[in-house]
Amino acid sequence: MTNDLYKVLQDNYDRLRKSEKKVADFVMQTRSSVVQMRIVDLAAAAEVSEPTVLRFCRALGFDGFQDFKLTLAQNVATNNSYQQFRLDSRDSVEQFKEKIFDSTVGNLVRVKNDLDADNLERAIQVLAETQRVDCYGFGASAPICSDAQHKFFRLNMSATAYSDPHLQTMAAVTLQEGDVVIAISQTGRTRDLLHTTQLALQAGATVIALCPSHTPLAELAQIPLFIDLDGDKELGTLMSSRITQMVVIDVLAVGVTMKLGAETMAHLKTIKRSLRGLRTPLKRK
Amino acid sequence: MTNDLYKVLQDNYDRLRKSEKKVADFVMQTRSSVVQMRIVDLAAAAEVSEPTVLRFCRALGFDGFQDFKLTLAQNVATNNSYQQFRLDSRDSVEQFKEKIFDSTVGNLVRVKNDLDADNLERAIQVLAETQRVDCYGFGASAPICSDAQHKFFRLNMSATAYSDPHLQTMAAVTLQEGDVVIAISQTGRTRDLLHTTQLALQAGATVIALCPSHTPLAELAQIPLFIDLDGDKELGTLMSSRITQMVVIDVLAVGVTMKLGAETMAHLKTIKRSLRGLRTPLKRK
DNA sequence: AAGTAAAATGTAGATTGCTAACATTAGCAA
DNA sequence: TTGCTAATGTTAGCAATCTACATTTTACTT
């Protein structure tokens, strides 16, 4: 749903007439401020006549100019409203709460759009076929590994999280063909992680990496899942990458669940039932 | 930013005239479909005249009807586009990737709006003043505790994560006045967690709880931070609550950083430098 | 290469919806 | 009740969008 309009523009671009393309180009470049424009303004800016703008809207399947503008506004809202934030020491709690949530959301949306569905598919496939998943990660990525372990463990797989380089090394050499390693790193350049990943590869395991693209780890892994956050290394970037990693793990886990099908679902229910005993009962009214 | 308009409506409702309230009521009830309406339609639907609708828009601070509608459209887009999802076994990877990300975003937005700024402020205050933070949580919340530990540790605080009920119990009795416990639970009803929380309280510690409202844990804690996700206990709800908890931790950590000010920032830089040694160097072009 | 037909684009006017000015009504106090 | 003020509605003008038609461009045929 998110950049619907962008896609619609891309898909129909070839079908557009020459002067309609002018309009399309202008809209693509300018984006947000187009929502404030009247049809005359847009016509002038794109250097075409008003009816051409209208025909452009119709060609994309909209009712008219207003309809187009409304959709554009909604697109702009969903894409642009969650910007990277810059913390100001004078911010109120309310303000930086907003900023942090919004930038997290923005990063999620960005990664969602970038995430390669093919590699995701491949990752899910190998996970669905394996019995052993080891998760490697240090520092801020260590809790994500535990989380991943937790998720896959629920799916009746043998999942382990290693956040200690020695344990990782020892575990890596015991890996076999068909086993899967999920390597998680915010930088993609952690030396120890690269080392153990190499060991895992030598042992014949398949390595899925959650890390930024164009990093040593990304090159090493058979199945890289890129998590590239906005260029500037703001505080927000560091914070969001953990969260994004987690959501990617969610996607993987759900994918595996769906692939494994009904029997796993039943297993999940059993777990849910068995955990109930650890809680105080819900009050009945 | 998100449901700006909703807030604007709420805040200015009393200031509106009687017939303008009719319009406000109608907009509140109908919401999304108003974006398709012309001023005549809305006037007819709210059973007022067209200028009244216009005055209503102006009273809320908009330029005119179009301006109001544009904002409404953007609001509708940001609020409605990230719905709770229902997984379909025939979904493609691309499709359920979208669904999972979107529902996560939706939940984040929801929690952001619900999160009480006062309690947040209080939580930040006590965290800024303490030297010891213990994080308690089991199961899926355990990795969140580790994450929280990680975050606060970076801020030069003595932070520990306990995910073992025995360790928690032993740690709880050593707590002193001024110490802080962060209790994290998706259900708010985990028996062991309630037990150790009570011990912490008896020892004089301040308890911050991340959990749903109207749960035993929420009642127990001095500073509850509610994480209420949509009613239906879909798969998505369970997944998102961990992530939401993490973002709340982010907000707390940033808040503390800002409160502690410059010296902590310097400390953060030192950590960053010291970690650099663990990575392979960036290639220079 | 020139002419013709069809497609593409622009111009001008009609229509529709938005807004401003004014009129009327309702509410309230003296 | 009367007069005043605030609230709402009516009417009309204006501005924006859209339609119908004219002109230009493009491509294809001879």
Side-chain angles (χ1 to χ4, degrees), chain A residues 70 73-74 93-94 96-98 102 112 117 121 139-140 143 147 150 187 189 191 242 250 255 278-280, chain B residues 1 35 73-74 93-94 96-97 102 112 117 121 139-140 143 147 150 187 189 191 242 250 255 277-280:
Chain A
L70 223 66
Q74 302 196 327
V93 171
E94 182 71 29
F96 72 73
K97 176 192 84 174
E98 291 269 327
D102 285 358
K112 178 187 81 171
E121 175 88 60
D147 184 73
H150 201 269
T187 62
R189 308 199 318 272
R191 218 186 296 267
R242 304 166 303 140
D250 279 345
L278 299 176
R279 306 200 186 105
T280 63
Chain B
M1 145 89 222
V35 293
Q74 302 196 328
V93 171
E94 183 72 28
F96 73 74
K97 176 192 85 175
D102 285 357
K112 178 187 80 171
E121 175 87 60
D147 184 72
H150 201 269
T187 61
R189 308 200 318 273
R191 217 186 295 268
R242 304 166 302 138
D250 280 344
L278 298 176
R279 305 198 188 108
T280 63

Side-chain angles (χ1 to χ4, degrees), chain A residues 63-112:
Chain A
D63 255 18
F65 181 68
Q66 288 297 345
D67 188 29
F68 164 76
K69 235 176 61 173
L70 223 66
T71 311
L72 179 65
Q74 302 196 327
N75 263 267
V76 168
T78 39
N79 289 328
N80 286 25
S81 67
Y82 303 113
Q83 291 294 354
Q84 210 46 243
F85 67 100
R86 201 165 291 275
L87 283 176
D88 188 320
S89 55
R90 288 160 308 175
D91 278 348
S92 71
V93 171
E94 182 71 29
Q95 280 173 316
F96 72 73
K97 176 192 84 174
E98 291 269 327
K99 286 185 179 176
I100 292 172
F101 269 90
D102 285 358
S103 98
T104 304
V105 168
N107 283 322
L108 279 177
V109 172
R110 240 158 275 139
V111 170
K112 178 187 81 171

Side-chain angles (χ1 to χ4, degrees), chain A residues 119 122 181 200-201 204-209 217-224:
Chain A
N119 277 345
R122 285 172 60 210
V181 167
L201 286 170
T206 307
V207 174
I208 300 170
L217 181 58
E219 324 258 291
L220 223 52
Q222 292 105 327
I223 310 178

Side-chain angles (χ1 to χ4, degrees), chain A residues 3-16:
Chain A
N3 46 12
D4 235 356
L5 193 82
Y6 190 78
K7 257 186 188 164
V8 170
L9 267 168
Q10 295 271 356
D11 293 350
N12 296 51
Y13 191 80
D14 296 333
R15 289 191 199 101
L16 294 179

Side-chain angles (χ1 to χ4, degrees), chain B residues 107-168:
Chain B
N107 283 321
L108 279 177
V109 171
R110 239 159 275 138
V111 169
K112 178 187 80 171
N113 291 324
D114 292 347
L115 206 57
D116 182 32
D118 287 341
N119 277 345
L120 213 50
E121 175 87 60
R122 286 172 59 210
I124 290 167
Q125 190 59 46
V126 299
L127 283 168
E129 284 168 0
T130 190
Q131 272 306 310
R132 176 176 170 187
V133 193
D134 286 10
C135 307
Y136 295 175
F138 300 115
S141 302
I144 313 299
C145 286
S146 307
D147 184 72
Q149 172 191 21
H150 201 269
K151 290 221 84 122
F152 290 115
F153 206 78
R154 274 187 164 233
L155 298 181
N156 213 5
M157 295 161 76
S158 160
T160 322
Y162 295 105
S163 308
D164 176 312
H166 293 195
L167 287 175
Q168 265 178 33

